Each structure stands twice: as structure tokens, then as C-alpha cells.
Amino acid sequence: MKDDTSIYQSFNVLGIDVGGTFTDLLYVDKENNTIEFAKVPTSPENQAFGVMDAINKAKLKLNHVKLIVHGTTTTTNALLERKLSKTGMITTKGFKDVIELGRRTRPNSYGMQGKFVPIIPRDLRFEVNERVDASGDIITVLDEIEVKKTAEELLKLGCESIVIHFLHSYANNNHELRAFEIISDFWPNNYITMGHSLLSENREYERGVTAAINASVQPILEKYLRKLENELSIANYKNELLVMNGNGGTISSKMVVNEAAKTVMSGPASGVIAAAHTGQSTGVNNIITYDMGGTSTDVALIIGNQPSVSSDLEVEYGMPVHVPMVDVRTVGAGGGSIAKLNLAGLLEVGPESAGSFPGPICYGNGGTIPTISDANLLLGRLNISKIISNKNKVSIDDIKKIFLKKLSKSLHLDEIKTAEAVIKIANTKMAGAIRMVSISLGVDPRDFTLFAFGGAGPLHASSLAKELGIPKVLIPARPGITNALGCVVADLRQDFTKTLNMPIDNLNIQNLHSLFNDQEKKGIELIKKQGLELTNISSSFSIDMQFIGQTHILRIDLPNSYPDLDYLQKSFEKSYLKRFKVKLSEIKANIVNVNTTVQGHKVPFDISLLNNKLDKLLNLNDALLEYREVYFKDKFLNTPIYSRDRMPFEFEIKGPAIIEQMDTTTLIEPEDRVYGDNLGNMFIEVGDL
């Protein structure tokens, strides 16, 4: 479906992504065909400070900026660190422990230990009389007086936000809506979350936890955004601020707080969106994204330029966020990941990170613990003189001494072998994450291109590709600011899910068509409400299905909003056969959830703008900076070092080589061949597979 609106051809847009270690900025002036970019340390105490530092470093005048799109880790960090707002819950009598009982799983699948702390403690979960069955029929009428008294009690206990989570509200939401009306009359803010409003599907545990997460981070997100808006206003910015959601779309900062849970994993999602956009521009349709930053590594799958989106992800154990999010898997391996010896004397890398301060030893901020970045430096892969954070001029000898003291002596290795071991362990962890988004889902990574970005990704990409049998690596023009690029290119997006949970034979197909149309209409209204000029609005539809009696759910993408029953049954059987290699045509399917995605599309971004630099030369020899000893497979090789900014677009180099640029360093191993395209991307053909 398309809805034509006013088309604009040029505007100035600023993308800012806040990572765990660095804050990245990309400014695109489409009127003058110029760009600016910046990378500064993230300010954990208040991310707004890092955002403004990046703007100041880029020397931007915000009165010339027409739009700012922001990816933030505010909600993700709040969840992982459990620094949440005090939140209460009102639920159906007899069911206050649903969010604590959870599923029959363990924090450690093969262990007998581990703990689970619910988002809302038991003493802040209250019950009221009401009951609706799975068909939506009212069994017990809502006790409105009890709702009012309970909410007043939670307010007295110091709760800043509140969750209304009633049994089977996906089938009949009237009780939740009425409780919302009652509480809204006296609750001092808008931090009231109804379970069905975020997740109108069955599974009480997942719906309750998602609602609890939303309510717990609402005050935190709003306080941060208002601080940021104030800082931007002081700097003379008067236009719209959009926020990245975890689904890869954007939404106005004025609207995002109501559904704050959707901003979880917004940073990783922006990188995946940028990868899909770049892949589409270069004709590479099937991609495994590999984003290695300073704190962690994020990987995701893109098939046919469409990122994989899931509503079944967990931020950590016992913390399911069942709203549509780009399916990103994360491991604790980044440039700042700490290398240490465990109690058994074995070498471990991550998940703890040195962060942006003090950071790795090579940052010169007082760091004294070995990290992945320090290991790469000892192997000659990084130039210590070009590390932007090296304030106190730490030397290679200083790093060697720390490696010797803390790791090498106990391991009975020299410093170089120790550094090599650190890299190998880190690569093994990252390869495991890639297998989770490919092999574990029935996808062969050898059929994909590895898209490597992040400040540290291009350093490790070739080794990972070799381990996984991936024949080609794509390095975008600006790997270190790819997440910021994702903010620039991301469209507006709204997702809707409604549980039907009925056999296909019982489905009234007209009701299904009406539900799709209602979801689409609501999405278009919300997107238009944000007041941005768009090229068009499009909608896509899908259904979650399973065989009756089974728990496996498969998402079936639909060509339109009016499928017939025969098409649904056959499409599901085909998808089931492809996924599980089993044909069960004699069993009827069950319709679980109905899904609609509505997107408001901005003007397409031309990625060639990322290379708009005056010092770009046409002679590869002019880009040669020096030769340096770099360690490869048990020996140092005299390796050419190139400046990427001074290289021609189209070139070819056989390894070994190192290519340096402001935001990253790319390692070309001896067996590899690297070449450039006319858009400024690099492709590594991996040798020795």
C-alpha cells in the first residue's frame, strides 16, 4: 500500500549513535552534497554530554540542521545494570507471581546455579478481583474500588510508574482500559502501562515482563530525552528529534516514551539498517552483519536486503522484550574487552570491558588491564601514535610489561604469543555469535557476505570469515560510524501484533482482512502524526502460525492483506518443510498472531556522499604511508600501511596489508585480496578457505 505525501528532495540530517564506548556522529548536507563525521568517548553519567561533544567536535551549527535522528543505549543500559524506576503492578487475583515463575528454564542450561530477579519485586505486585477467560468472556467483573485503592497504595509506596497486567487482556482489553481510566484520574504522570497496549498476544509471562520493562524505563528515557532536547535547544536547534527503535525504524521523541521498551537495542538495530542500505546500493543481498565496537560485538542476518526481525528476544535471562526488534545477537567481545586469567589459570576474554574510561592501556587514561585493543597493538595491527585517546603517550613497551606481569608469566608464553592467544579466543566467541544467527537457524554462512563494521570489526573480519567459510567480506566506506549512518537512512516504522490463537478451519477470513486493515490504518495515522515529509508510506503483513498441538511458531510473510485460507495453509506447510525438513500436510495449521508493519519512507540516501573528501587521489602509491612489522601466523611480516582516505575508489591489493582511516583499521591477511568499488566500499576475497 502506498500513500503519497509531499516529496522533498534535500534536507540536512544529523545521525548520532551512542555506543557503550564511543558516540558517533554523521552529518549529511544534501543541499551542498557534503558530510561531516565525528567520534568521541561516550559519557555514561549523561549521554547528552557525549552527544553535544560530538556536535561541537564536528563544528556544526544546529540552526542549519533540519532533522536529528538519535540511537541511544539509555534503556538497554538501564535494564542490564538494573538501574530502573520504582514500578508497581496491578494484576488479576491469584496471578501476581506470573512474571516471577516464568518459563521452565535455567540461567545456565547445564548448571544447577543461577539467580533470577524479577523486574518488579513481589511487594510491589498487587492483586485485584477481575477475570477474563481465553475467549474474552468476562468471568469476574472488575472491582473498580479495589483498583483505585491499590493504585493509591502503590503511589504511597513511592512508585513512579505502574503496570496494569490482567489475565487474557489480549482477548478482551476492557478491564485494562477501565483500570487505566481510574488510575489516570490521580496518577501524577503518564507512566501507566497496560499489558495489551504493547503486546496484544497470549503468553502472560512475556506480556507482563514486557509491560514491566516499559514502565520501569519510561521515566529514565523521558528524563534523558528532555535533557538532550534542552541541550539542543540551547545550541539553537528548533526542529524534530527522532529516536531509533529496536525494530530498525524511527519515531518522534515526543511519542517514544509511551512505548519506551521499543528503544531497547536501538543502537545495534541502526547498524543493521545501514548494512541493508549499503548492501542494496552495492547489489549484495544476503549479508551477515558483524559490528565490533569497544564493549561488545553484535551480529545479525539480512536476507534479500531485509533484516531479520523477531518478537521473541531476551535482553538477558528472564527478561523477554516481546516487541518487534531486529534479531541481533550480542557477545561480550569488543576492543575494550578485558583479558584475564580465571580461577583455574585459563585465559578468558570478556565480557567485562574497560569502557571508554579508563579504557584499554593504549588509551593512556590510566588503564592497567590488558584488552583486545592492546593485543592488536602488540601484534603490529594498530599504530599507537594514531590512537586518538592516547593522552599520556603510553608506549608499546609499557603495554608489554603489563601483559608480561598479568598474563604471560602465568601462561608461560611471551607477550606476542599471549596477544595472539587473546585474539584467537575473542575470534572464537564472535564466530559463535555468527553461528547463532546462521547455522542454528538453518542458514549456511558460506552463502552470505560478511559485512564488517564498528571501530574494531575490520581488524578481525578476515579471520572470522576463514573460520566460518565465508568467501567475501564487505567493509563499508565509514565502518566506525555505520550505526550513525543507520540513523540517517532509517525510515519511520510502526509494528502491530494481535493474537487470534485459533485453528485455520475456525477462522473467518473476512475478520482477518478487517484486522489487517485496522492495524494498517492505525500505523498510517501514527506516522502521519509525526509531521515529517515522506516519499511514501508502505505496509507489509504476516501471520505467526503453528501446527495444532505444537509449540514451534513460524512467521509467514504475505503478499497483501487479503489472503485466502488455502494460501495460508500451503504457505505454512512450505515454510515448515524448509525449516524442519518434515512434511505434515495431514495436520491443520493454527493461526497464532496477526502482524502488520507500516513504514514511512524518507528520501533515499546516496552512500557515495560518504567519500566526499578533497584529498582523494587516483594513484594507489600516493596512499602508501609506511611499512610496519605485523604479526601473521607465527612470524612478523614487513607490511605496507595505506591511508584509505587517499586511496582511489577502484583499486586492488594482495595481502598482507593494513588500511588505516579515522574511524577504523582494516587487516588484510597474506592469502587475501582486497579491491574497491566506485562507491568507496572495500571487498576482501578471503583466501585459504
Side-chain angles (χ1 to χ4, degrees):
M1 179 273 175
K2 291 187 177 181
D3 177 63
D4 290 331
T5 62
S6 300
I7 298 177
Y8 63 96
Q9 297 301 325
S10 65
F11 64 93
N12 302 337
V13 59
L14 175 61
I16 304 175
D17 178 76
V18 178
T21 306
F22 290 102
T23 294
D24 303 326
L25 175 150
L26 173 64
Y27 174 61
V28 180
D29 184 344
K30 291 189 176 182
E31 295 171 349
N32 298 306
N33 285 335
T34 60
I35 67 163
E36 295 292 342
F37 43 84
K39 181 182 284 287
V40 300
T42 292
S43 51
E45 69 284 358
N46 186 347
Q47 292 184 5
F49 296 155
V51 170
M52 299 310 298
D53 286 344
I55 291 172
N56 292 331
K57 185 175 181 179
K59 299 179 180 179
L60 298 181
K61 295 183 178 180
L62 294 185
N63 59 315
H64 294 159
V65 178
K66 300 295 177 63
L67 179 66
I68 296 178
V69 187
H70 179 36
T72 176
T73 55
T74 298
T75 53
T76 307
N77 291 345
L79 286 173
L80 295 177
E81 297 170 9
R82 293 294 183 122
K83 296 178 180 178
L84 303 168
S85 300
K86 192 171 185 177
T87 303
M89 174 178 283
I90 296 178
T91 190
T92 306
K93 192 173 185 64
F95 289 87
K96 75 175 183 179
D97 290 326
V98 165
I99 68 166
E100 188 164 355
L101 293 172
R103 300 293 174 196
R104 195 175 64 177
T105 58
R106 291 172 289 183
N108 184 351
S109 300
Y110 298 99
M112 299 299 292
Q113 294 181 332
K115 66 177 182 178
F116 166 58
V117 180
I119 294 292
I120 301 175
R122 198 169 193 267
D123 61 347
L124 295 179
R125 304 194 299 264
F126 289 8
E127 300 174 347
V128 298
N129 281 295
E130 75 85 37
R131 188 69 177 266
V132 173
D133 67 15
S135 301
D137 297 328
I138 296 176
I139 307 300
T140 304
V141 176
L142 176 69
D143 190 329
E144 297 186 3
I145 296 174
E146 194 174 12
V147 168
K148 186 174 184 297
K149 289 181 178 179
T150 302
E152 289 174 340
E153 180 63 24
L154 287 170
L155 199 57
K156 290 178 182 177
L157 291 171
C159 290
E160 190 174 4
S161 51
I162 188 169
V163 175
I164 306 167
H165 176 50
F166 292 154
L167 193 67
H168 300 307
S169 63
Y170 64 91
N172 185 340
N173 60 18
N174 287 337
H175 282 180
E176 285 195 352
L177 290 171
R178 179 55 187 149
F180 180 88
E181 290 177 354
I182 295 168
I183 297 170
S184 296
D185 285 340
F186 61 88
W187 200 259
N189 54 52
N190 296 319
Y191 308 141
I192 308 172
T193 299
M194 295 178 288
H196 82 273
S197 64
L198 279 171
L199 186 65
S200 191
E201 64 177 76
N202 58 355
R203 296 183 291 184
E204 308 302 319
Y205 167 63
E206 286 80 5
R207 189 169 73 255
V209 174
T210 300
I213 288 172
N214 189 76
S216 299
V217 299
Q218 274 184 313
I220 297 166
L221 180 62
E222 181 156 57
K223 289 172 185 174
Y224 165 67
L225 288 176
R226 302 303 165 253
K227 286 180 182 177
L228 178 58
E229 288 171 344
N230 183 61
E231 294 290 333
L232 293 172
S233 179
I234 293 172
N236 208 25
Y237 181 69
K238 308 298 183 186
N239 297 314
E240 184 69 69
L241 172 66
L242 299 184
V243 180
M244 283 291 304
N245 273 339
N247 61 10
T250 60
I251 187 171
S252 170
S253 62
K254 299 178 180 63
M255 301 170 61
V256 70
V257 174
N258 291 333
E259 298 182 335
K262 292 184 177 181
T263 65
V264 174
M265 302 298 287
S266 82
S270 64
V272 180
I273 297 302
H277 184 84
T278 305
Q280 188 174 31
S281 301
T282 57
V284 180
N285 298 321
N286 297 327
I287 291 170
I288 295 174
T289 69
Y290 161 55
D291 175 11
M292 183 179 180
T295 304
S296 61
T297 292
D298 303 313
V299 299
L301 193 69
I302 299 174
I303 299 177
N305 291 126
Q306 294 299 315
S308 178
V309 176
S310 175
S311 298
D312 296 313
L313 301 180
E314 288 192 353
V315 179
E316 63 175 25
Y317 177 76
M319 201 180 287
V321 187
H322 274 227
V323 295
M325 293 193 296
V326 175
D327 190 355
V328 176
R329 309 299 171 93
T330 302
V331 293
S337 292
I338 292 171
K340 62 184 182 300
L341 302 177
N342 62 21
L343 294 176
L346 301 176
L347 181 63
E348 289 183 349
V349 181
E352 297 85 3
S353 173
S356 57
F357 191 89
I361 305 166
C362 58
Y363 280 15
N365 291 326
T368 59
I369 303 175
T371 67
I372 292 175
S373 291
D374 298 312
N376 275 316
L377 200 147
L378 290 185
L379 297 177
R381 299 174 177 184
L382 295 175
N383 186 343
I384 196 166
S385 66
K386 294 184 178 180
I387 295 178
I388 58 176
S389 300
N390 191 358
K391 296 180 180 179
N392 296 319
K393 306 299 180 184
V394 171
S395 69
I396 293 177
D397 286 339
D398 295 329
I399 299 171
K400 282 185 175 181
K401 289 177 182 177
I402 294 175
F403 264 68
L404 181 63
K405 180 181 178 181
K406 299 202 170 188
L407 300 174
S408 300
K409 280 185 177 180
S410 299
L411 295 171
H412 304 290
L413 299 171
D414 63 30
E415 300 92 326
I416 301 301
K417 288 291 185 183
T418 302
E420 184 184 33
V422 169
I423 299 301
K424 286 182 176 179
I425 292 173
N427 287 345
T428 299
K429 291 182 68 172
M430 292 183 287
I434 293 174
R435 292 186 178 100
M436 285 293 293
V437 300
S438 56
I439 296 172
S440 68
L441 300 177
V443 173
D444 191 340
R446 293 173 297 182
D447 297 331
F448 287 73
T449 296
L450 187 65
F451 187 98
F453 63 104
L459 267 175
H460 298 255
S462 181
S463 295
L464 287 180
K466 283 185 176 68
E467 182 165 341
L468 296 162
I470 299 174
K472 185 175 288 187
V473 178
L474 196 168
I475 312 290
R478 301 292 175 187
I481 58 170
T482 298
N483 288 64
L485 173 63
C487 294
V488 171
V489 304
D491 294 318
L492 303 180
R493 177 166 173 156
Q494 293 287 335
D495 293 285
F496 304 92
T497 296
K498 174 69 177 177
T499 290
L500 293 183
N501 202 21
M502 65 174 62
I504 195 169
D505 288 345
N506 296 347
L507 178 67
N508 184 320
I509 197 66
Q510 296 302 321
N511 290 342
L512 176 66
H513 298 168
S514 296
L515 181 54
F516 275 136
N517 291 333
D518 290 344
Q519 290 178 332
E520 182 183 43
K521 182 180 179 182
K522 185 178 179 182
I524 292 172
E525 288 175 351
L526 287 171
I527 285 175
K528 286 186 173 181
K529 188 177 179 181
Q530 299 182 56
L532 293 179
E533 295 176 294
L534 306 166
T535 59
N536 68 281
I537 297 176
S538 66
S539 303
S540 58
F541 311 93
S542 64
I543 290 183
D544 296 332
M545 301 178 69
Q546 62 186 181
F547 281 120
I548 295 174
Q550 294 192 338
T551 58
H552 297 296
I553 293 177
L554 292 178
R555 177 157 294 184
I556 309 301
D557 294 321
L558 304 176
N560 50 55
S561 61
Y562 43 89
D564 57 41
L565 295 177
D566 186 61
Y567 178 86
L568 293 178
Q569 177 72 27
K570 290 181 178 178
S571 297
F572 175 65
E573 290 175 2
K574 183 179 179 180
S575 295
Y576 195 94
L577 178 61
K578 183 179 179 180
R579 177 68 177 88
F580 299 107
K581 311 302 180 187
V582 176
K583 188 174 183 179
L584 300 173
S585 55
E586 70 277 6
I587 305 176
K588 284 294 184 180
N590 192 58
I591 307 292
V592 182
N593 301 314
V594 179
N595 316 295
T596 299
T597 295
V598 182
Q599 291 181 277
H601 300 281
K602 299 185 300 192
V603 175
F605 175 72
D606 182 2
I607 64 171
S608 65
L609 283 174
L610 297 175
N611 299 284
N612 193 354
K613 292 295 178 184
L614 296 176
D615 60 348
K616 183 69 80 171
L617 303 179
L618 297 178
N619 191 332
L620 184 61
N621 291 329
D622 290 329
L624 181 62
L625 300 174
E626 62 176 335
Y627 281 82
R628 188 167 69 234
E629 294 294 306
V630 181
Y631 194 82
F632 296 98
K633 293 184 178 179
D634 300 324
K635 62 182 177 181
F636 280 96
L637 298 177
N638 194 32
T639 303
I641 314 297
Y642 294 93
S643 168
R644 188 173 185 181
D645 285 338
R646 297 175 63 83
M647 296 171 72
F649 286 154
E650 299 182 17
F651 68 91
E652 181 178 337
I653 297 174
K654 292 183 178 179
I658 284 179
I659 301 172
E660 298 178 342
Q661 59 192 102
M662 183 278 290
D663 52 332
T664 195
T665 297
T666 301
L667 179 71
I668 313 299
E669 299 198 4
E671 304 85 4
D672 299 344
R673 182 179 77 93
V674 60
Y675 62 92
D677 68 7
N678 59 0
L679 295 174
N681 301 299
M682 294 192 305
F683 293 86
I684 301 174
E685 290 186 345
V686 179
D688 198 25
L689 289 179

